[in-house]
Amino acid sequence: MNDALDIVMRYFDPPLDQQDYASVEGFAADCIFQAWKAGTRHKLALANKAIQAVEERHPLGKNLRRLPTVS
């Protein structure tokens, strides 16, 4: 579950404010835990569910920029 949370937090360009960072991290961790309890075990599947939830339901979701992909 920790690997999935690391993936989520690296996916976004996180806010510099520690309180906002903790809010996003806690929200993502809750989403990962709920998916884990529902039977999802693969870290990428857990991370994808949490990323989607952050983007759709977290108050800062629309303001978080994704990091540019490296080709």
Side-chain angles (χ1 to χ4, degrees), residues 5-62:
L5 185 57
D6 287 340
I7 292 168
V8 173
M9 296 312 289
R10 289 182 180 158
Y11 178 81
F12 294 112
D13 183 15
L16 296 176
D17 184 310
Q18 288 182 355
Q19 185 176 4
D20 289 344
Y21 183 89
S23 172
V24 171
E25 186 177 44
F27 186 87
D30 286 342
C31 294
I32 290 168
F33 183 66
Q34 293 304 318
W36 179 270
K37 288 191 336 186
T40 304
R41 295 295 186 261
H42 195 277
K43 67 181 176 183
L44 292 179
L46 292 167
N48 283 335
K49 289 180 182 198
I51 288 168
Q52 182 179 10
V54 169
E55 289 178 334
E56 293 176 358
R57 298 193 315 251
H58 191 276
L60 296 174
K62 303 247 187 269

